[in-house]
Every structure is written in C-alpha cells, then in structure tokens.
Amino acid sequence: MSTTITISPKYSALRSFLESLPARMESEGETIHDGRNLIKVFTAPGGLRLNVKRYHRPHFINAFVYSTGLRHPKGRRAFDYTALLLRAGVETPEAVAYIEERCCGIIGLSYFVSLQCPYPNRLYNIPHEPESLYVPLAKELARFTARIHEAGMVHRDYSPGNILWQQDSDGSFHFSVVDINRMYFGKVSLKRGCANFARLWGTKKFFETIARTYAQARHMDEETCVRETLEARRRFWTKYIKKHDVGFDINE
C-alpha cells in the first residue's frame, strides 16, 4: 500500500503529525461522527485543533473513476474547493491536508484535514426555537447564502448539519459551511438559488423570511422567490418524511 499526502504550505511544519493520522484514527481523537465516514478531532502539536474526515472506500466504479483521474476523490475536492470559497469571502474551515491511500494503484481510504470550526451550533433545532431567534438568523443566513451564490457557487448539500453558526453577545451571526466536496460552479439563477434552501429545517415563516431577504440581497422579485423556495421545500420534505422522522410539522 502507498500513501500520498498534500499539505497546505502554511502547515508544512505539521507534516510528521499529519502523516501519522491514518494510524491514529481508530484509537485516538474525539469522535464527532461515526457512520459511513468517520470524523474525529485531534489536537496537533502546538495546540491546533484539527478536524479529520476519513472517507469510506469507494465502490468499484467510483474507485476506478477516482484512481484514473477522471474525477477527483471527495477529500481532494474538499481540499481544493476550500481555497475557492475563502478567496470569494465565504467562510469555511481552512484546509490543512489531503491524504490518500492506494493499493495496486486503486484508491482506498482517503482523508481531508481542516481546522476545527469553533462555531458550536447547527441548524437542526431551528423548528423549536422562538421567532426572536430564528427570524434574525434566517435573514443573516439568507444574506450569507446570497454572497455564496453571487460568487458563482452553490453548496449542493446545503443541509442543517453542514452550516455551522454562532451568535455573538452583540446579536450578530456568523456562519461557516462544511462538507464542501459537492459544489456547483457557475451562474446561479433565481430558481437554482431558491431550491438550495430546500433541505433546511424550519417552519414556513422561517423559509419565507429567508426567501424575502435572499430576494432583496440579490435584487430579485420577492414573491417569486417565496413561491420557488416553498415549492422546493414542499417537494423535498414530502419525499423525506416518508422514510424519516423529523420531529416537526412541515405544514406549519
């Protein structure tokens, strides 16, 4: 088996520690997700907190596609896309390294290493929060999303777990997007932009607030944005609740 590692020049001093991460994944680190992919947080020498995501071995077809270079693996895409988002002023954890294991030239496990985002909140609890919180949050989230779209980018898994946020003592909100290996790059139309909100959790008022603020930020028609956003929400959640219990009424 061979292992290759790509390290951001800023973190080249951590090479020895980064190279040791694959061997540490099973028994060390703080687990924050253990499913198809494994995500752990490690403290590097000097106290730097690192988020390490280990991607599962791709099935045969994807293994061939990734190994031959027809398409970059997910971890490599995340590593490369980070620079594009940050350059556009979109907050996402800074990329540190990408690690790839191969056997006989075929890709196996791969790892994306980034700084650990300090924001403690995700969007899963929004349906249960008071309007005094979710209305101002919705407005700021809409403006944040509008900046992403105006930069010619769409996060294709724009879901509650992939948007981290924090509210400061002065009431201001900060957002950071993670799991950025699935991105669309190009002009973002009204329809595509509004559909990007469909996976979020929240009441109709939460979505209407997002849609109106988003329309204002992008100088689009508010009523059209509300209609497109609610229709995208309805289509997604009508299918989703058939297999999942979300703990809130999507008709409210």
PDB file of all heavy atoms in Angstrom, residues 230-243:
ATOM      1  N   LEU A 230     -40.704  27.862  -1.297  1.00  0.00           N
ATOM      2  CA  LEU A 230     -41.681  26.992  -0.634  1.00  0.00           C
ATOM      3  C   LEU A 230     -42.006  25.759  -1.470  1.00  0.00           C
ATOM      4  O   LEU A 230     -42.231  24.677  -0.927  1.00  0.00           O
ATOM      5  CB  LEU A 230     -42.960  27.774  -0.332  1.00  0.00           C
ATOM      6  CG  LEU A 230     -42.835  28.866   0.740  1.00  0.00           C
ATOM      7  CD1 LEU A 230     -44.188  29.543   0.956  1.00  0.00           C
ATOM      8  CD2 LEU A 230     -42.316  28.293   2.058  1.00  0.00           C
ATOM      9  N   GLU A 231     -42.003  25.905  -2.782  1.00  0.00           N
ATOM     10  CA  GLU A 231     -42.267  24.749  -3.633  1.00  0.00           C
ATOM     11  C   GLU A 231     -41.108  23.757  -3.572  1.00  0.00           C
ATOM     12  O   GLU A 231     -41.316  22.535  -3.502  1.00  0.00           O
ATOM     13  CB  GLU A 231     -42.500  25.200  -5.081  1.00  0.00           C
ATOM     14  CG  GLU A 231     -42.674  24.066  -6.091  1.00  0.00           C
ATOM     15  CD  GLU A 231     -43.820  23.107  -5.776  1.00  0.00           C
ATOM     16  OE1 GLU A 231     -44.737  23.488  -5.026  1.00  0.00           O
ATOM     17  OE2 GLU A 231     -43.791  21.971  -6.281  1.00  0.00           O
ATOM     18  N   ALA A 232     -39.879  24.260  -3.567  1.00  0.00           N
ATOM     19  CA  ALA A 232     -38.716  23.371  -3.432  1.00  0.00           C
ATOM     20  C   ALA A 232     -38.735  22.676  -2.081  1.00  0.00           C
ATOM     21  O   ALA A 232     -38.428  21.483  -1.974  1.00  0.00           O
ATOM     22  CB  ALA A 232     -37.427  24.176  -3.605  1.00  0.00           C
ATOM     23  N   ARG A 233     -39.109  23.411  -1.039  1.00  0.00           N
ATOM     24  CA  ARG A 233     -39.234  22.828   0.311  1.00  0.00           C
ATOM     25  C   ARG A 233     -40.283  21.720   0.313  1.00  0.00           C
ATOM     26  O   ARG A 233     -40.062  20.642   0.865  1.00  0.00           O
ATOM     27  CB  ARG A 233     -39.615  23.930   1.299  1.00  0.00           C
ATOM     28  CG  ARG A 233     -39.943  23.449   2.720  1.00  0.00           C
ATOM     29  CD  ARG A 233     -40.434  24.624   3.554  1.00  0.00           C
ATOM     30  NE  ARG A 233     -40.646  24.276   4.948  1.00  0.00           N
ATOM     31  CZ  ARG A 233     -41.824  23.934   5.458  1.00  0.00           C
ATOM     32  NH1 ARG A 233     -42.898  23.882   4.672  1.00  0.00           N
ATOM     33  NH2 ARG A 233     -41.933  23.646   6.750  1.00  0.00           N
ATOM     34  N   ARG A 234     -41.445  21.997  -0.278  1.00  0.00           N
ATOM     35  CA  ARG A 234     -42.527  21.004  -0.300  1.00  0.00           C
ATOM     36  C   ARG A 234     -42.092  19.723  -1.013  1.00  0.00           C
ATOM     37  O   ARG A 234     -42.324  18.619  -0.513  1.00  0.00           O
ATOM     38  CB  ARG A 234     -43.755  21.603  -0.992  1.00  0.00           C
ATOM     39  CG  ARG A 234     -44.978  20.667  -0.980  1.00  0.00           C
ATOM     40  CD  ARG A 234     -46.021  21.105  -1.994  1.00  0.00           C
ATOM     41  NE  ARG A 234     -45.525  20.980  -3.362  1.00  0.00           N
ATOM     42  CZ  ARG A 234     -45.459  19.818  -4.021  1.00  0.00           C
ATOM     43  NH1 ARG A 234     -45.818  18.678  -3.430  1.00  0.00           N
ATOM     44  NH2 ARG A 234     -45.001  19.791  -5.258  1.00  0.00           N
ATOM     45  N   ARG A 235     -41.450  19.854  -2.171  1.00  0.00           N
ATOM     46  CA  ARG A 235     -41.030  18.676  -2.934  1.00  0.00           C
ATOM     47  C   ARG A 235     -40.047  17.832  -2.141  1.00  0.00           C
ATOM     48  O   ARG A 235     -40.159  16.607  -2.077  1.00  0.00           O
ATOM     49  CB  ARG A 235     -40.397  19.102  -4.272  1.00  0.00           C
ATOM     50  CG  ARG A 235     -41.377  19.620  -5.293  1.00  0.00           C
ATOM     51  CD  ARG A 235     -40.752  19.634  -6.685  1.00  0.00           C
ATOM     52  NE  ARG A 235     -39.496  20.370  -6.719  1.00  0.00           N
ATOM     53  CZ  ARG A 235     -39.392  21.665  -6.993  1.00  0.00           C
ATOM     54  NH1 ARG A 235     -40.481  22.369  -7.267  1.00  0.00           N
ATOM     55  NH2 ARG A 235     -38.222  22.259  -7.016  1.00  0.00           N
ATOM     56  N   PHE A 236     -39.055  18.490  -1.533  1.00  0.00           N
ATOM     57  CA  PHE A 236     -38.035  17.735  -0.799  1.00  0.00           C
ATOM     58  C   PHE A 236     -38.626  17.037   0.420  1.00  0.00           C
ATOM     59  O   PHE A 236     -38.414  15.838   0.624  1.00  0.00           O
ATOM     60  CB  PHE A 236     -36.893  18.657  -0.362  1.00  0.00           C
ATOM     61  CG  PHE A 236     -35.867  17.968   0.488  1.00  0.00           C
ATOM     62  CD1 PHE A 236     -34.900  17.150  -0.091  1.00  0.00           C
ATOM     63  CD2 PHE A 236     -35.892  18.084   1.876  1.00  0.00           C
ATOM     64  CE1 PHE A 236     -33.963  16.485   0.696  1.00  0.00           C
ATOM     65  CE2 PHE A 236     -34.964  17.426   2.666  1.00  0.00           C
ATOM     66  CZ  PHE A 236     -33.999  16.621   2.072  1.00  0.00           C
ATOM     67  N   TRP A 237     -39.377  17.791   1.240  1.00  0.00           N
ATOM     68  CA  TRP A 237     -39.836  17.236   2.502  1.00  0.00           C
ATOM     69  C   TRP A 237     -40.969  16.234   2.331  1.00  0.00           C
ATOM     70  O   TRP A 237     -41.122  15.325   3.155  1.00  0.00           O
ATOM     71  CB  TRP A 237     -40.228  18.366   3.453  1.00  0.00           C
ATOM     72  CG  TRP A 237     -39.006  19.033   3.995  1.00  0.00           C
ATOM     73  CD1 TRP A 237     -38.438  20.203   3.577  1.00  0.00           C
ATOM     74  CD2 TRP A 237     -38.154  18.528   5.017  1.00  0.00           C
ATOM     75  NE1 TRP A 237     -37.290  20.469   4.275  1.00  0.00           N
ATOM     76  CE2 TRP A 237     -37.093  19.461   5.174  1.00  0.00           C
ATOM     77  CE3 TRP A 237     -38.177  17.394   5.812  1.00  0.00           C
ATOM     78  CZ2 TRP A 237     -36.074  19.282   6.096  1.00  0.00           C
ATOM     79  CZ3 TRP A 237     -37.165  17.219   6.751  1.00  0.00           C
ATOM     80  CH2 TRP A 237     -36.136  18.154   6.880  1.00  0.00           C
ATOM     81  N   THR A 238     -41.762  16.335   1.290  1.00  0.00           N
ATOM     82  CA  THR A 238     -42.806  15.336   1.035  1.00  0.00           C
ATOM     83  C   THR A 238     -42.186  13.954   0.851  1.00  0.00           C
ATOM     84  O   THR A 238     -42.708  12.945   1.338  1.00  0.00           O
ATOM     85  CB  THR A 238     -43.622  15.719  -0.214  1.00  0.00           C
ATOM     86  OG1 THR A 238     -44.274  16.973   0.013  1.00  0.00           O
ATOM     87  CG2 THR A 238     -44.677  14.658  -0.512  1.00  0.00           C
ATOM     88  N   LYS A 239     -41.038  13.901   0.173  1.00  0.00           N
ATOM     89  CA  LYS A 239     -40.332  12.628  -0.004  1.00  0.00           C
ATOM     90  C   LYS A 239     -39.578  12.228   1.259  1.00  0.00           C
ATOM     91  O   LYS A 239     -39.583  11.057   1.660  1.00  0.00           O
ATOM     92  CB  LYS A 239     -39.350  12.736  -1.182  1.00  0.00           C
ATOM     93  CG  LYS A 239     -40.010  12.897  -2.536  1.00  0.00           C
ATOM     94  CD  LYS A 239     -38.958  12.980  -3.630  1.00  0.00           C
ATOM     95  CE  LYS A 239     -39.594  13.139  -4.994  1.00  0.00           C
ATOM     96  NZ  LYS A 239     -38.568  13.235  -6.084  1.00  0.00           N
ATOM     97  N   TYR A 240     -38.948  13.199   1.901  1.00  0.00           N
ATOM     98  CA  TYR A 240     -38.072  12.898   3.038  1.00  0.00           C
ATOM     99  C   TYR A 240     -38.832  12.295   4.210  1.00  0.00           C
ATOM    100  O   TYR A 240     -38.368  11.330   4.838  1.00  0.00           O
ATOM    101  CB  TYR A 240     -37.358  14.181   3.477  1.00  0.00           C
ATOM    102  CG  TYR A 240     -36.245  13.964   4.473  1.00  0.00           C
ATOM    103  CD1 TYR A 240     -34.945  13.673   4.037  1.00  0.00           C
ATOM    104  CD2 TYR A 240     -36.471  14.048   5.846  1.00  0.00           C
ATOM    105  CE1 TYR A 240     -33.921  13.477   4.948  1.00  0.00           C
ATOM    106  CE2 TYR A 240     -35.451  13.848   6.762  1.00  0.00           C
ATOM    107  CZ  TYR A 240     -34.180  13.567   6.303  1.00  0.00           C
ATOM    108  OH  TYR A 240     -33.158  13.377   7.213  1.00  0.00           O
ATOM    109  N   ILE A 241     -40.002  12.832   4.550  1.00  0.00           N
ATOM    110  CA  ILE A 241     -40.722  12.361   5.738  1.00  0.00           C
ATOM    111  C   ILE A 241     -41.325  10.972   5.556  1.00  0.00           C
ATOM    112  O   ILE A 241     -41.777  10.364   6.524  1.00  0.00           O
ATOM    113  CB  ILE A 241     -41.826  13.357   6.155  1.00  0.00           C
ATOM    114  CG1 ILE A 241     -42.860  13.505   5.041  1.00  0.00           C
ATOM    115  CG2 ILE A 241     -41.230  14.691   6.544  1.00  0.00           C
ATOM    116  CD1 ILE A 241     -44.054  14.376   5.460  1.00  0.00           C
ATOM    117  N   LYS A 242     -41.312  10.455   4.338  1.00  0.00           N
ATOM    118  CA  LYS A 242     -41.807   9.091   4.134  1.00  0.00           C
ATOM    119  C   LYS A 242     -40.868   8.060   4.752  1.00  0.00           C
ATOM    120  O   LYS A 242     -41.278   6.954   5.096  1.00  0.00           O
ATOM    121  CB  LYS A 242     -41.969   8.810   2.637  1.00  0.00           C
ATOM    122  CG  LYS A 242     -43.103   9.593   1.979  1.00  0.00           C
ATOM    123  CD  LYS A 242     -43.188   9.284   0.489  1.00  0.00           C
ATOM    124  CE  LYS A 242     -44.331  10.059  -0.157  1.00  0.00           C
ATOM    125  NZ  LYS A 242     -44.440   9.798  -1.617  1.00  0.00           N
ATOM    126  N   LYS A 243     -39.603   8.436   4.920  1.00  0.00           N
ATOM    127  CA  LYS A 243     -38.612   7.499   5.450  1.00  0.00           C
ATOM    128  C   LYS A 243     -37.947   7.988   6.726  1.00  0.00           C
ATOM    129  O   LYS A 243     -37.200   7.244   7.359  1.00  0.00           O
ATOM    130  CB  LYS A 243     -37.529   7.233   4.393  1.00  0.00           C
ATOM    131  CG  LYS A 243     -38.045   6.557   3.134  1.00  0.00           C
ATOM    132  CD  LYS A 243     -36.898   6.293   2.160  1.00  0.00           C
ATOM    133  CE  LYS A 243     -37.387   5.597   0.900  1.00  0.00           C
ATOM    134  NZ  LYS A 243     -36.272   5.329  -0.049  1.00  0.00           N
TER     135      LYS A 243
END
